[in-house]
Amino acid sequence: MVVELKDGVYWVGVVDWNIKHFHGHEYTTHRGTTYNAYLIIDEKIALVDTVYGPYSHELIENIEKIIDIKKIDYVIANHAETDHSGGLPELMKFIPEATVVVSEKGKESIYKHYHYHWNFKTVKTGDTISLGKNSLVFVSAPMLHWPDSMFTYLTGKNILMPNDAFGQHYASSSRFNDEVDMVEVYQEAIKYYTNILTPFSDLVIKKIDEFKKLNLPVDSIAPSHGIIWRENPMHIVEKY
Ligand SMILES: [Fe+2]
Ligand SMILES: [Fe+2]
């Protein structure tokens, strides 16, 4: 399944209906989850995040429905945990020359996971990569929820891709918050915050304030798990 978020921006992720536990067995996920990856077609082509390793083939099939996979120039790895970076080894076999964009900490931990000397480019808050018409802007977000975590923002389309932040473990055949039962989604968003972000609540508030100071308009928030906040996207930010 492939879904267009905005002109030239596609969800190419995977819905995992069956997963019932996350982070070992500590976190139950009765409503399953999704691993969201986003493909951006511009003069240059970028993929933001991959999927959990066992689903790599689905990610690759999804990308191939839209473009020749070999045309990908940049792969952004916002976070090294395997539910998002697990697709890298299979993907990179097709595009060994592509640039893998990571935070400094992300570079260390992705190398420790996979032991490949990919063409890494490290970025920090305020760094940008032009894709042609639009650009990617990066915001480091340490401890939201891991030391290496970062957010990627796409100008022009005004999409914030904050990886695990603002996510929910919620499997659905719909991709957007205006298409699903919001009571269920908020139950999962609260549970998610409680499980992975509560210890870092002070940092969450500081990061949101820092992001607001960048004055980047947000039309949608596209996290790495669950539905995409398209209608009133700042509501979940206020809730955080
Ligand atoms: Fe994570
Ligand atoms: Fe995750």
Side-chain angles (χ1 to χ4, degrees):
M1 182 171 58
V2 160
V3 177
E4 193 171 35
L5 266 83
K6 292 239 174 168
D7 205 17
V9 183
Y10 300 85
W11 177 89
V12 289
V14 167
V15 180
D16 188 343
W17 299 93
N18 296 320
I19 189 166
K20 296 294 177 243
H21 296 279
F22 227 84
H23 293 288
H25 283 264
E26 305 145 29
Y27 183 172
T28 55
T29 50
H30 295 294
R31 291 192 173 111
T33 194
T34 72
Y35 312 109
N36 297 339
Y38 301 101
L39 185 70
I40 303 163
I41 313 290
D42 200 328
E43 286 160 37
K44 298 279 183 186
I45 293 175
L47 177 71
V48 180
D49 289 319
T50 69
V51 297
Y52 184 42
Y55 294 97
S56 303
H57 61 285
E58 267 190 65
L59 169 75
I60 289 162
E61 280 168 25
N62 285 345
I63 295 168
E64 289 273 341
K65 284 175 194 156
I66 301 163
I67 49 140
D68 174 358
I69 202 163
K70 295 195 182 69
K71 290 189 173 159
I72 295 176
D73 300 285
Y74 297 102
V75 180
I76 291 80
N78 279 320
H79 178 30
E81 278 192 307
T82 55
D83 53 329
H84 308 295
S85 72
L88 281 173
E90 283 304 310
L91 176 80
M92 295 306 290
K93 285 181 190 165
F94 294 90
I95 46 170
E97 303 300 319
T99 303
V100 179
V101 182
V102 284
S103 66
E104 195 67 55
K105 283 260 175 2
K107 181 180 170 181
E108 283 169 34
S109 51
I110 283 179
Y111 183 76
K112 278 185 199 153
H113 274 99
Y114 307 112
H115 303 282
Y116 285 104
H117 289 286
W118 290 316
N119 181 17
F120 288 110
K121 176 183 173 67
T122 58
V123 290
K124 54 185 187 328
T125 298
D127 288 350
T128 63
I129 291 177
S130 172
L131 298 179
K133 267 203 197 114
N134 298 315
S135 299
L136 298 174
V137 182
F138 303 97
V139 178
S140 17
M143 300 326 286
L144 268 70
H145 72 117
W146 216 239
D148 68 292
S149 298
M150 67 174 188
F151 299 172
T152 299
Y153 173 87
L154 176 63
T155 67
K157 312 292 177 185
N158 304 343
I159 303 172
L160 175 64
M161 290 161 280
N163 193 266
D164 277 327
F166 310 118
Q168 341 85 47
H169 289 307
Y170 185 75
S172 169
S173 48
S174 303
R175 297 275 61 81
F176 300 100
N177 63 335
D178 46 284
E179 299 171 336
V180 294
D181 181 337
M182 286 314 292
V183 172
E184 289 183 1
V185 169
Y186 273 109
Q187 281 173 355
E188 293 304 326
I190 291 166
K191 184 175 173 184
Y192 185 95
Y193 188 101
T194 309
N195 272 287
I196 74 164
L197 288 163
T198 305
F200 315 118
S201 288
D202 290 352
L203 294 171
V204 171
I205 305 282
K206 276 192 199 136
K207 188 52 60 179
I208 289 171
D209 287 343
E210 185 193 316
F211 182 78
K212 283 182 174 164
K213 286 197 188 110
L214 297 174
N215 275 321
L216 300 169
V218 174
D219 290 351
S220 14
I221 297 178
S224 57
H225 297 289
I227 58 90
I228 297 163
W229 308 95
R230 172 171 72 177
E231 188 180 86
N232 193 5
M234 295 312 279
H235 191 247
I236 185 67
V237 179
E238 297 311 320
K239 290 290 181 192
Y240 265 50

